[in-house]
């Protein structure tokens, strides 16, 4: 297949690169083969994008791929938001959490995936031996016949016709069997795949008007997923509007709601999408990962919705809670310029002029002993001494003058080495000592980043000023006005920048 692609690209005069996957560690028996192979492909693609400085990568997914993805998600109990399938355009994302950092880091927020063929069927139109795109619906058999009639080479993946290998293959096989009016033989499939197909049928029925089950016609499936996709885009627009109206000035890395404004959001799908958006914005899990969305578990999202939109009476006692994604939801009392976070909010005791609200923030981490016992990294306590020292030496030898570190998968810390004070150069690089360390730590209950210099175990604050403008927001969240408890001035080192790194947008 790789050789065929190379020949075809050369024939069209298109630059082509073949990247081989280096299986350093073979997949373990408990890892789904499809997921392992997909992750390996994405790592190879991302490495090539980085090497070639490519910002946008176009995938060839079409409407039938979208149908399979929709059914695949329904087999895991997804709502209609998940059943909408893949997005036409999205960020690459940060990947998975690897140790104290994410797989792709902040670079993944500057790379994009586009799917220009996602709304059309797997179709081709041949004219004068030139392959063109056409939105006319032509079945795959016709495509293959057209290729053969015009001597156009093509390759079919032989594993696609083996339904017992993956769930996606099984779904594809079921659709094809239905098209050809052949009996479906789920008894020949592995037990876990059969269970997922049964869940698919159950979940599909919850979609109501949409015919998205395995016995639906291919036309019904294509039509259904198109409508679901359009609805999802409309919902994203409504969430943008709701977040603008509900959001209040707050600390970086948090999102503050007015309960009164939040109650104006009545559509359940908009509520679900809004909760997912805030989870992804606040969570310390890598942006774009399933963990940042609380696993997209129905019970988790439903609990958050139930708590945030619960009808409040004079006797209501409202407490903090968490429901996944390492995000803490805390009731607050809103006053004119600031808010309070008591352990329990009793609605009847709210002073006149005060209102109820909610703040979403990072969940406090486990203590050091528990992290060590469970073999987990402390993503809020990082020794950056070696990283900065090595980057400084590289800069002196012609390397980049700025090094960036993604902190807690939420903040981008930029160190401008050409502005680094001579005193620090002497302590950390020219005359290093084991007791001298440049540490990345957190402060306050909101876990805002700070950079300190430790000498003999005694910390000295170097920098904690956070830039006013986030790096990746299309519309920014206003910063909270200072209260009397805030320190008058943040410390600006003159050579370090801290920026909020996560977007509040849908992509």
């Amino acid at each position: 297949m790789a050789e065929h692609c190379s020949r075809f690209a050369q024939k069209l005069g298109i630059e082509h690169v073949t990247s081989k996957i280096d299986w350093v560690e073979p997949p373990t028996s408990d890892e789904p083969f499809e997921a392992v192979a997909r992750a390996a492909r994405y790592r190879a693609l991302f490495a090539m994008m980085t090497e070639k400085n490519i910002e946008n990568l176009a995938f060839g997914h079409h409407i039938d791929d979208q149908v399979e993805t929709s059914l695949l998600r329904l087999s895991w109990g997804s709502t209609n938001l998940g059943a909408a399938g893949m997005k036409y355009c999205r960020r690459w994302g940060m990947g998975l959490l690897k140790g104290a950092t994410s797989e792709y880091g902040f670079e993944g927020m500057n790379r994009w995936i586009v799917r220009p063929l996602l709304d059309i069927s797997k179709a081709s139109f041949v004219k004068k031996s030139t392959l063109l795109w056409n939105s006319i619906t032509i079945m795959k058999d016709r495509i293959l016949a057209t290729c053969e009639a015009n001597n156009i080479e093509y390759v079919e993946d032989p594993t696609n016709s083996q339904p017992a290998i993956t769930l996606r293959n099984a779904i594809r096989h079921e659709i094809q069997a239905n098209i050809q009016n052949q009996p479906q033989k789920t008894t020949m499939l592995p037990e876990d795949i059969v269970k997922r197909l049964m869940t698919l049928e159950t979940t599909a029925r919850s979609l109501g008007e949409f015919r998205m089950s395995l016995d639906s016609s291919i036309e019904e499936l294509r039509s259904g997923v198109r409508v679901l996709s359009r609805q999802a885009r409309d919902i994203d627009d409504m969430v943008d509007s709701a977040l603008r109206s509900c959001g209040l000035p707050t600390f970086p890395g948090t999102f503050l709601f007015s309960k009164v404004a939040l109650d104006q959001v009545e559509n359940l799908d908009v509520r679900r999408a809004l909760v997912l958006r805030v989870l992804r914005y606040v969570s310390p899990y890598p942006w774009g990962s399933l963990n940042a969305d609380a696993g997209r578990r129905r019970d988790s999202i439903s609990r958050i919705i139930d708590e945030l939109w619960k009808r409040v009476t004079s006797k209501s006692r409202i407490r903090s809670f968490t429901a996944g994604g390492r995000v803490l939801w805390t009731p607050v009392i809103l006053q004119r310029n600031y808010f309070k976070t008591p352990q329990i909010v009793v609605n009847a005791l709210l002073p006149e002029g005060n209102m109820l609200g909610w703040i979403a923030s990072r969940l406090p981490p486990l203590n050091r002993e528990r992290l060590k016992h469970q073999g987990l990294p402390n993503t809020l306590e990082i020794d950056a001494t070696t990283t900065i020292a090595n980057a400084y030496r590289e800069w002196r030898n012609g390397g980049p003058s700025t090094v960036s570190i993604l902190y807690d998968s939420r903040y981008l810390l930029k160190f401008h080495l050409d502005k680094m004070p001579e005193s620090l150069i002497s302590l950390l690089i020219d005359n290093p000592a084991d007791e001298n360390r440049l540490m990345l730590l957190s402060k306050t209950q909101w876990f805002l980043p700070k950079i300190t210099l430790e000498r003999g175990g005694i910390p000295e604050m170097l920098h904690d000023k956070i830039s006013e403008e986030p790096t990746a927001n299309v519309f920014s969240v206003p910063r909270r006005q200072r209260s009397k408890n805030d320190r008058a001035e943040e410390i600006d080192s003159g050579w370090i920048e801290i920026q909020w790194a996560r977007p509040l947008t849908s992509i």
Side-chain angles (χ1 to χ4, degrees):
M1 187 177 293
E3 292 178 359
H4 165 75
C5 292
S6 180
R7 290 196 306 271
F8 193 70
Q10 289 175 8
K11 182 179 179 180
L12 297 177
I14 299 173
E15 182 182 355
H16 175 266
V17 178
T18 298
S19 179
K20 294 185 178 181
I21 296 174
D22 184 14
W23 292 104
V24 178
E25 296 181 4
T28 60
S29 58
D30 60 344
E31 293 177 293
F33 170 77
E34 188 177 26
V36 173
R38 181 179 182 273
R41 289 197 306 271
Y42 271 58
R43 283 193 294 270
L45 288 169
F46 188 82
M48 190 55 62
M49 290 178 73
T50 304
E51 179 183 329
K52 298 289 185 179
N53 195 27
I54 297 170
E55 293 184 0
N56 306 305
L57 183 64
F59 285 174
H61 296 123
H62 48 77
I63 187 64
D64 292 339
D65 293 322
Q66 185 77 308
V67 165
E68 292 173 6
T69 299
S70 177
L71 296 177
L72 190 69
R73 292 182 180 181
L74 288 173
S75 75
W76 291 100
S78 179
T79 65
N80 57 325
L81 294 178
M86 299 173 279
K87 290 184 178 293
Y88 291 78
C89 174
R90 73 166 178 85
R91 296 175 196 270
W92 191 278
M94 295 180 182
L96 302 175
L97 194 63
K98 301 292 184 181
T101 60
S102 59
E103 190 174 16
Y104 302 120
F106 189 71
E107 276 298 306
M109 304 301 287
N110 294 322
R111 306 277 190 240
W112 294 84
I113 293 172
V114 295
R115 298 182 175 95
L117 308 178
L118 196 56
D119 198 40
I120 68 173
S121 61
K122 192 170 185 180
S124 66
F125 181 79
V126 180
K127 181 180 180 181
K128 294 181 181 180
S129 300
T130 301
L131 188 65
L132 302 173
W133 293 340
N134 191 339
S135 60
I136 301 173
T137 300
I138 304 175
M139 298 306 296
K140 184 177 178 182
D141 289 343
R142 174 70 181 278
I143 297 174
L144 302 183
T146 302
C147 290
E148 291 168 356
N150 291 272
N151 295 317
I152 299 174
E153 294 184 41
Y154 63 88
V155 176
E156 283 197 277
D157 185 348
T159 64
N160 285 346
S161 60
Q162 302 174 32
I165 293 182
T166 67
L167 178 57
R168 182 180 287 272
N169 279 12
I171 290 172
R172 185 182 299 124
H173 176 76
E174 294 292 303
I175 295 173
Q176 191 64 29
N178 187 41
I179 292 173
Q180 298 174 358
N181 293 318
Q182 295 176 347
Q184 300 175 355
K185 300 178 180 179
T186 55
T187 54
M188 300 174 62
L189 299 174
E191 183 179 354
D192 60 328
I193 290 181
V194 173
K195 288 181 178 179
R196 295 271 65 84
L197 295 179
M198 293 173 64
T199 301
L200 188 162
E201 294 298 300
T202 302
T203 311
R205 286 195 290 272
S206 69
L207 296 180
E209 60 184 295
F210 300 104
R211 290 275 297 160
M212 294 295 296
S213 62
L214 290 174
D215 60 358
S216 303
S217 70
I218 187 63
E219 290 79 13
E220 288 174 323
L221 291 171
R222 289 171 178 168
S223 175
V225 78
R226 283 189 177 109
V227 174
L228 286 168
S229 182
R230 284 196 297 270
Q231 286 186 350
R233 294 197 296 272
D234 291 341
I235 289 169
D236 282 338
D237 291 340
M238 287 187 278
V239 171
D240 287 345
S241 177
L243 289 172
R244 288 189 179 97
S245 62
C246 294
L248 296 172
T250 184
F251 291 97
T254 67
F255 197 89
L256 179 64
F257 299 93
S258 158
K259 171 67 172 168
V260 173
L262 199 62
D263 285 341
Q264 302 304 309
V265 180
E266 297 180 351
N267 185 291
L268 181 58
D269 289 332
V270 176
R271 290 180 177 180
R272 286 195 189 104
L274 186 150
V275 166
L276 287 168
R277 191 88 66 88
V278 174
L279 280 169
R280 184 182 298 183
Y281 179 72
V282 174
S283 173
Y285 283 116
W287 190 96
S289 68
L290 202 59
N291 285 336
D293 292 350
R296 284 186 172 259
R297 294 184 298 272
R298 277 175 176 256
D299 55 346
S300 296
I301 306 305
S302 294
R303 186 192 172 194
I304 297 171
I305 290 172
D306 290 344
E307 293 289 343
L308 296 186
W309 278 274
K310 181 186 294 182
R311 184 174 177 271
V312 176
T313 68
S314 60
K315 298 181 180 179
S316 295
R317 299 172 65 85
I318 310 166
R319 296 176 171 83
S320 300
F321 70 95
T322 183
R326 292 186 184 172
V327 174
L328 180 66
W329 304 83
T330 304
V332 298
I333 299 173
L334 300 172
Q335 298 179 345
R336 176 169 295 182
N337 293 328
Y338 61 97
F339 59 85
K340 296 179 180 179
T341 56
Q343 288 187 339
I344 301 175
V345 175
V346 182
N347 194 47
L349 301 180
L350 286 179
E352 184 177 352
N354 293 355
M355 296 189 301
L356 179 64
W358 286 94
I359 187 168
S361 62
R362 187 205 199 281
L363 186 71
L366 300 174
N367 60 43
R368 288 187 179 89
E369 289 73 20
R370 291 185 66 183
L371 286 171
K372 185 177 180 180
H373 177 72
Q374 297 183 23
L376 299 173
N378 188 345
T379 59
L380 293 173
E381 190 172 305
I382 299 174
D383 186 344
T385 311
T386 301
T387 299
I388 299 303
N390 290 341
Y392 181 84
R393 295 186 186 100
E394 289 180 11
W395 168 63
R396 294 301 298 267
N397 290 321
S401 61
T402 301
V403 60
S404 298
I405 297 176
L406 187 62
Y407 178 75
D408 199 31
S409 293
R410 306 190 316 145
Y411 294 91
L412 187 67
L413 278 52
K414 294 183 177 181
F415 298 83
H416 299 283
L417 306 172
D418 54 340
K419 299 178 181 179
M420 190 173 178
E422 291 293 335
S423 57
L424 283 178
I425 295 172
S426 176
L427 285 171
L428 300 176
I429 301 168
D430 294 339
N431 302 294
D434 290 340
E435 64 269 17
N436 296 337
R437 298 192 301 165
L438 189 71
M439 298 296 298
L440 314 181
L441 305 172
S442 65
K443 64 173 188 176
T444 78
Q445 71 187 92
W446 314 117
F447 303 101
L448 308 177
K450 65 179 181 179
I451 295 92
T452 66
L453 172 67
E454 287 191 4
R455 287 188 283 184
I458 300 175
E460 173 191 347
M461 180 79 79
L462 293 181
H463 188 102
D464 67 346
K465 183 178 181 179
I466 299 176
S467 299
E468 292 293 325
E469 290 299 323
T471 61
N473 272 9
V474 172
F475 56 91
S476 60
V477 179
R479 294 280 297 278
R480 185 180 74 92
Q481 296 183 23
R482 295 186 181 278
S483 74
K484 60 184 179 181
N485 295 324
D486 289 335
R487 194 176 65 234
E489 293 292 338
E490 294 174 310
I491 295 177
D492 187 349
S493 65
W495 69 286
I496 302 172
E497 289 182 78
I498 301 177
Q499 297 175 319
W500 177 248
R502 300 175 83 110
L504 191 55
T505 51
S506 62
I507 60 174

